Amino acid sequence: MKILYGMQQPDEGTITVNGEQVVLSNPGDAIARGIGMVHQHFMLADNLTVLENVVLGAEKLHGIGGRARARIKEISDAYGLGVRPDVLVEELGVADRQRVEILKVLYRGAKTLILDEPTAVLVPQEVDALFDNLRELKAEGLTVIFISHKLGEVLSVADDITVIRRGTTVGTVEPRDTTPRQLAELMVGSELPTPATEESTVTDVPLLTVDGLRLTQTDLDGVERVILDDVSLTIRKGEVLGIAGVEGNGQSELVEAIMGIRRPDTGTVTLDGTDISHTSTRGRRQAGIGYVPEDRHRHGLLLEAPLWENRILGHVAERPNSRGALLDIKAARADTERIVRAYDVRTPGIEVTAASLSGGNQQKLIVGREMSHDPKLLIAAHPTRGVDVGAQAAIWDHIREARREGLAVLLISADLDELIGLSDTLRVMYRGRLVADADPATVTPEALGSAMTGAAAGHLEQTEDDVR
């Protein structure tokens, strides 16, 4: 897709657009040919508003004022994107950022729309809305290239399916002529892995206790908003506590409060019997918290640094990265080699930059780094977002193995099958509050999705309709 968008040049082969063979030297060439791409990792400037991001580089189309604003509103309304032009991008959740990216591409007049893992950040109801949008786009003559490893979604929305494995086309099929199992065998040579966890390893020993967390934030116009509202939870040793919620309902802020990145107004955080409410982020890491952040590019990696430097991040003062007051580069390099082998990070070596790895291999490096310090608690925010099925299965295996050894896990995910499969306990977060809980053994993705949008609360029971 980078080649099709002009970001990378092919060694051989041809690209034909509307019957004409073309050479796409840069994204500008692709845009001029009506090709637009929404990347898996969004390409937005955090310190600009939505309107500024949309018009950036396309000022000649509709200017930067009233006409641009009217066009943005027109596109947003036409496709149900619900975009707010004057909000800073840094204040948006991942799902809203994705909508801005789609609008940005449509604003430039794209006739071929490339979507890379577009549903990774959406709940079932939002996925349905996105697919309705895609069908509208198709009805108006647009071509959509939809990249996903979620087979049910591909089968429901695609007219044709091409399967690529290790850089080679291995098959082209029509949805009506294939099954999820056949697609899985084309993709990975076997049935798709599942996140299901058979045996319970939950103990009676509380490891993390969060009590009465409240966090407020004052907006630019001086209005105080409640971000976290009296959040309390307990995670025991050997337990995976899953939190479901639509992006932007306080999950990110809860994680940052537990990590010490944000200071809540009230409430306490206790780790293994010790109050860490006023401990620094570094102190919390050294006390035994591993952290897989939701955005690996912004918060998990130095993309232009080699892998061995990325292995040191967040654990500078711990062995094997340091000995006393000095970094131990030789030991850090050796341990990076071990992580690459143990976590199947596919790379030519540890000197390459993190940016040169695929998303799945970047994520395996982060998981390997965090698990290498024997954490008591692992905070995993969207640990398999946008990674291929092989890497997804590997990450699930590592979480299950650590759980068997007594690790406590706080799992935040937009993948409801992942949440239901991996979690021992499920809670639902809505507008900064924990509003519902569910038993992963009986709850359905639809019931979870309903609670995530505020339509249900309390304990979620499986209904006869769900069974049917």
Side-chain angles (χ1 to χ4, degrees):
M1 292 305 119
K2 286 181 178 176
I3 291 172
L4 187 53
Y5 194 52
M7 296 173 69
Q8 198 165 317
Q9 299 308 306
D11 297 321
E12 56 185 75
T14 60
I15 298 172
T16 304
V17 179
N18 290 328
E20 180 187 349
Q21 192 168 311
V22 298
V23 176
L24 305 174
S25 302
N26 55 57
D29 289 349
I31 292 167
R33 296 282 180 178
I35 299 170
M37 182 168 178
V38 177
H39 297 262
Q40 179 179 323
H41 297 285
F42 304 143
M43 305 288 187
L44 298 171
D46 283 0
N47 58 336
L48 299 182
T49 65
V50 168
L51 184 147
E52 290 165 343
N53 267 282
V54 172
V55 303
L56 188 63
E59 295 86 352
K60 291 181 180 178
L61 291 177
H62 307 287
I64 59 173
R67 282 195 307 132
R69 181 183 298 276
R71 180 62 181 146
I72 288 170
K73 187 173 189 318
E74 182 185 334
I75 296 170
S76 177
D77 291 347
Y79 299 109
L81 297 173
V83 167
R84 296 168 291 164
D86 297 312
V87 177
L88 282 175
V89 165
E90 69 182 6
E91 296 175 8
L92 298 180
V94 185
D96 285 329
R97 288 171 191 247
Q98 184 192 65
R99 295 186 187 102
V100 174
E101 284 278 23
I102 291 174
L103 191 144
K104 193 171 80 170
V105 168
L106 296 175
Y107 184 85
R108 283 157 174 73
K111 298 298 181 189
T112 300
L113 186 62
I114 304 168
L115 299 178
D116 189 0
E117 296 282 357
T119 63
V121 295
L122 306 178
V123 301
Q125 289 85 342
E126 291 177 317
V127 171
D128 292 341
L130 172 67
F131 286 177
D132 288 342
N133 291 340
L134 295 186
R135 292 183 185 104
E136 286 178 32
L137 293 169
K138 190 180 77 167
E140 294 187 16
L142 274 73
T143 299
V144 180
I145 301 176
F146 174 82
I147 301 162
S148 179
H149 62 257
K150 297 181 178 179
L151 303 190
E153 293 177 358
V154 172
L155 288 167
S156 74
V157 80
D159 298 300
D160 293 285
I161 301 170
T162 296
V163 180
I164 296 176
R165 185 166 82 222
R166 293 182 180 266
T168 300
T169 299
V170 294
T172 301
V173 296
E174 291 190 16
R176 65 174 177 269
D177 298 331
T178 191
T179 65
R181 181 171 185 153
Q182 290 167 333
L183 262 192
E185 287 176 352
L186 280 174
M187 286 172 66
V188 293
S190 61
E191 278 196 75
L192 276 188
T194 80
T197 304
E198 290 79 22
E199 78 292 350
S200 174
T201 58
V202 181
T203 68
D204 294 329
V205 183
L207 194 103
L208 177 77
T209 303
V210 173
D211 187 29
L213 278 195
R214 180 180 171 83
L215 175 68
T216 57
Q217 179 176 300
T218 304
D219 289 343
L220 295 175
D221 52 9
V223 177
E224 187 177 81
R225 284 194 307 131
V226 177
I227 309 295
L228 296 176
D229 190 1
D230 193 28
V231 174
S232 299
L233 57 86
T234 298
I235 311 177
R236 296 161 291 180
K237 289 184 179 180
E239 178 179 26
V240 177
L241 172 65
I243 294 189
V246 177
E247 298 280 337
N249 275 274
Q251 308 95 304
S252 299
E253 290 82 0
L254 173 62
V255 166
E256 290 177 358
I258 295 171
M259 285 301 302
I261 299 168
R262 287 179 183 251
R263 294 291 179 189
D265 304 340
T266 59
T268 59
V269 179
T270 305
L271 180 71
D272 206 11
T274 302
D275 187 339
I276 59 169
S277 305
H278 302 288
T279 305
S280 67
T281 299
R282 176 171 158 182
R284 296 185 196 207
R285 277 186 164 283
Q286 292 177 336
I289 301 181
Y291 179 37
V292 178
E294 71 172 69
D295 189 329
R296 52 183 168 262
H297 283 189
R298 296 170 80 207
H299 302 136
L301 297 166
L302 293 174
L303 290 174
E304 299 309 317
L307 302 192
W308 66 267
E309 287 188 20
N310 277 283
R311 187 265 168 271
I312 293 173
L313 291 184
H315 303 280
V316 175
E318 300 168 56
R319 286 182 173 275
N321 301 325
S322 65
R323 191 187 302 155
L326 299 176
L327 287 176
D328 189 339
I329 302 298
K330 184 177 178 182
R333 283 172 180 270
D335 200 60
T336 308
E337 297 272 15
R338 178 194 62 78
I339 290 173
V340 164
R341 289 192 304 272
Y343 288 81
D344 190 28
V345 180
R346 295 183 185 175
T347 172
I350 63 170
E351 295 297 335
V352 304
T353 63
S356 67
L357 299 187
S358 69
N361 286 304
Q362 290 173 349
Q363 195 74 349
K364 286 190 283 188
L365 178 70
I366 293 172
V367 171
R369 176 182 72 200
E370 297 307 308
M371 299 299 284
S372 294
H373 292 273
D374 296 324
K376 299 174 181 177
L377 168 72
L378 177 68
I379 298 176
H382 307 281
T384 62
R385 171 180 284 164
V387 308
D388 63 80
V389 287
Q392 189 180 49
I395 291 167
W396 287 340
D397 284 343
H398 289 304
I399 290 175
R400 282 189 286 247
E401 178 62 30
R403 168 181 167 273
R404 277 193 291 272
E405 294 175 5
L407 183 77
V409 181
L410 176 62
L411 176 66
I412 315 278
S413 181
D415 183 335
L416 300 191
D417 291 326
E418 176 176 78
L419 272 178
I420 292 169
L422 283 182
S423 299
D424 298 292
T425 311
L426 272 174
R427 308 284 295 275
V428 179
M429 201 161 193
Y430 179 68
R431 293 186 177 176
R433 296 180 66 90
L434 293 174
V435 297
D437 63 87
D439 180 352
T442 59
V443 75
T444 62
E446 290 72 25
L448 263 190
S450 180
M452 289 162 67
T453 54
H459 185 72
L460 305 178
E461 298 285 358
Q462 188 179 39
T463 67
E464 289 184 17
D465 287 341
D466 291 332
V467 174
R468 280 200 295 271

